[in-house]
Amino acid sequence: MKISVIGCGYLGAVHAASMAKLGHTVVGVDVDEQKVAALAAGHAPFFEPGLPELLVEGKDRLRFTTDIADASEASVHFIAVGTPQQPDSNAVDLTYVRAAIEALLPHLTPGDLVVGKSTVPVGTAAQLAERVGTTGARLAWNPEFLREGFAIQDTLSPDRLVYGVRDGDPAAVAILDEVYAEAIAAETPRIVTDYATAELVKVSANAFLATKISFINAMAEIAEVTGADVTQLADAIGLDARIGRRFLNAGLGFGGGCLPKDIRGFMARAEELGVDQALSFLSEVDAINLRRRSRMVDLTREVVGGSLAGKRIAVLGLAFKPDSDDVRDSPALDVAIRLVAEGASVVATDPEAVETARRRRPELTYVATVEEAAANADAVVLLTEWRQYRELDPDDFAALVSERTIVDGRNCLNPALWRAAGWQYRALGRPGAATAQLAGVASR
Ligand code: UDX
């Protein structure tokens, strides 16, 4: 099939390369000349495992351009532009989606299918369908559930396909089935529904995941005052198949380009619809999430003796999660900046995100390696659970630092191993020392 992908950011670039991998002929369109030049040269403008290989492998069927007129070669057009949070409110900024549709309209042919993939507030697709319909083309909403770091796998072998179409639109369904023929043949569950449900599937999935993370982080707050261990708690409740262990990793909480903005945008939309009460719990989910960052700073201050002023702190991790160079709304970067604000001398590193972090926060001191970050540190704070940090050897590592003090912001290290090597090990939601104390029990 001949496909265009409008918007070649994270979602669009991965989608375009994946569509070419599936055998389709793809033109990716973006207004950013630098991004287009990089992609055309086979370079991914961001870190995503497997993407550079796909760009090279698909080069005979895949090209990138800044000229939207080239979309006229295609009959299926994916809209994959960003939908950021508005600067002055929780609401979603739909400027890029509307601009993409308007720019595409003159190049549509009757019978073409426009497919929305961007995450939009419920009700958007129905409005856009009117505009698309003026050209004789049709609109479907087909949300994307890709996770950074697993984006190719999530696109090529999704958990489920969701098609939001008007009145069951058999022609749109048939076209999407052809696009995703491989996934359909692999019996991927497929849900054909209306626009509103398709739009809601995406935001409600992300709201659920955010809630699950904040739930366990709320339990971490309880664990911290009772001497309980939140990681063991998560293991134990996660064994209940109805709950499940995934997304119950307590720590610094969620960040990135999706979860935070999606829950805020969802709340803003609910308010517009007069059902804000239905989602008022999400503001608590957001608040719990942000409190973890303050708690991390408090804990770091505590382990260095009550004041961060003049302390050398090694920051391991800047990306919002491992296997990504994305620092959008990154809890790690936020904590690093807060430590600096309290007078600490912070030296930060990350396997992939140093450059993206530097662009956003040039005032931080960045180094390329763990060794440089840890040199003469009064405390090490682990903020993103990259494999290379999880596998650090506490004995070897001890030689680099001034003080054997580590704060594990992601509960990804083995406390017993680190303590055995002479480290003061602290973590969010885990007991401070080998013997836990139940605060308040004695007074009962
Ligand atoms: C998310 C959704 O998972 C994906 O389906 C959607 O399409 C886009 O948003 P992504 O932003 O790539 O994907 O990250 P995800 O893996 O969901 O992690 C989000 C954040 O939650 C990260 O900061 C991660 O560190 C944090 N997290 C995740 C936890 O703190 N604990 C967990 O148990 C899981």
Side-chain angles (χ1 to χ4, degrees):
M1 300 191 88
K2 292 201 167 147
I3 289 176
S4 80
V5 179
I6 317 299
C8 295
Y10 214 100
L11 167 61
V14 168
H15 194 68
S18 301
M19 291 299 104
K21 167 81 180 167
L22 292 175
H24 302 304
T25 302
V26 183
V27 57
V29 185
D30 200 288
V31 291
D32 182 335
E33 282 177 19
Q34 262 183 319
K35 198 179 281 175
V36 164
L39 287 163
H43 304 305
F46 46 83
F47 178 78
E48 179 62 36
L51 181 59
E53 291 80 355
L54 275 200
L55 290 172
V56 173
E57 192 189 318
K59 67 181 187 312
D60 294 341
R61 287 185 302 277
L62 175 62
R63 66 188 191 88
F64 293 93
T65 175
T66 52
D67 189 358
I68 186 92
D70 290 3
S72 58
E73 297 160 15
S75 57
V76 183
H77 311 272
F78 285 96
I79 305 295
V81 292
T83 51
Q85 184 178 336
Q86 288 185 8
D88 48 359
S89 82
N90 272 348
V92 174
D93 180 355
L94 285 172
T95 312
Y96 304 111
V97 172
R98 295 197 198 288
I101 294 279
E102 293 305 319
L104 184 61
L105 287 181
H107 310 292
L108 293 175
T109 308
D112 278 7
L113 182 66
V114 177
V115 189
K117 291 206 87 66
S118 307
T119 303
V120 293
V122 58
T124 306
Q127 283 175 14
L128 297 176
E130 302 304 322
R131 295 293 296 145
V132 169
T134 59
T135 65
R138 40 173 42 91
L139 179 82
W141 216 263
N142 168 225
E144 187 61 64
F145 305 103
L146 60 81
R147 295 160 299 165
E148 294 190 17
F150 301 89
I152 308 284
Q153 177 192 323
D154 287 348
T155 307
L156 293 175
S157 315
D159 289 341
R160 74 285 210 195
L161 291 164
V162 176
Y163 304 168
V165 294
R166 180 164 276 169
D167 303 325
D169 190 347
V173 171
I175 293 170
L176 285 171
D177 278 352
E178 207 178 326
V179 169
Y180 296 120
E182 213 165 280
I184 301 275
E187 297 186 1
T188 304
R190 186 197 71 167
I191 291 164
V192 178
T193 183
D194 51 84
Y195 291 146
T197 307
E199 291 166 320
L200 280 172
V201 170
K202 176 61 193 262
V203 282
S204 56
N206 277 352
F208 189 87
L209 294 172
T211 304
K212 201 169 176 191
I213 298 168
S214 277
F215 173 83
I216 200 65
N217 281 331
M219 295 308 109
E221 292 188 4
I222 308 287
E224 277 156 21
V225 296
T226 55
D229 183 323
V230 75
T231 62
Q232 290 179 355
L233 176 73
D235 290 344
I237 64 172
L239 284 168
D240 183 331
R242 294 169 303 175
I243 296 173
R245 181 63 177 81
R246 294 178 74 188
F247 270 69
L248 280 184
N249 294 326
L252 260 189
F254 58 82
C258 289
L259 261 47
K261 89 160 165 80
D262 285 357
I263 61 169
R264 293 174 197 150
F266 199 10
M267 283 187 279
R269 184 66 182 133
E271 199 173 332
E272 284 167 13
L273 294 167
V275 285
D276 43 324
Q277 267 193 329
L279 297 184
S280 60
F281 72 96
L282 286 180
S283 61
E284 198 50 47
V285 164
D286 204 8
I288 293 166
N289 192 51
L290 296 176
R291 279 207 296 276
R292 292 288 76 194
R293 303 176 187 188
S294 311
R295 175 66 186 139
M296 186 70 196
V297 175
D298 292 346
L299 197 51
T300 310
R301 192 189 312 106
E302 191 185 316
V303 298
V304 296
S307 168
L308 284 158
K311 297 291 182 185
R312 256 281 284 117
I313 308 293
V315 161
L316 306 190
L318 294 159
F320 84 104
K321 68 172 194 180
D323 297 313
S324 169
D325 64 358
D326 197 343
V327 295
R328 284 176 294 170
D329 208 336
S330 168
L333 186 55
D334 192 13
V335 166
I337 295 292
R338 290 184 197 206
L339 293 172
V340 172
E342 292 205 21
S345 154
V346 169
V347 181
T349 190
D350 186 284
E352 294 293 338
V354 163
E355 288 317 313
T356 46
R358 199 198 302 276
R359 280 201 288 277
R360 223 163 252 252
R361 303 307 299 239
E363 67 271 34
L364 263 187
T365 303
Y366 299 100
V367 291
T369 63
V370 173
E371 288 74 18
E372 291 166 272
N376 303 317
D378 295 310
V380 177
V381 295
L382 198 165
L383 304 180
T384 313
E385 70 278 31
W386 286 90
R387 187 177 49 77
Q388 44 272 66
Y389 302 158
R390 294 198 307 264
E391 291 175 354
L392 280 171
D393 182 300
D395 288 308
D396 295 349
F397 201 44
L400 299 170
V401 295
S402 271
E403 295 292 332
R404 295 183 190 195
T405 296
I406 188 158
V407 188
D408 179 359
R410 291 293 181 180
N411 284 308
C412 63
L413 302 175
N414 180 336
L417 269 186
W418 285 76
R419 288 188 177 128
W423 287 78
Q424 177 188 193
Y425 172 92
R426 296 297 300 274
L428 297 172
R430 274 174 162 177
T435 49
Q437 289 171 350
L438 190 57
V441 164
S443 60
R444 286 213 189 134

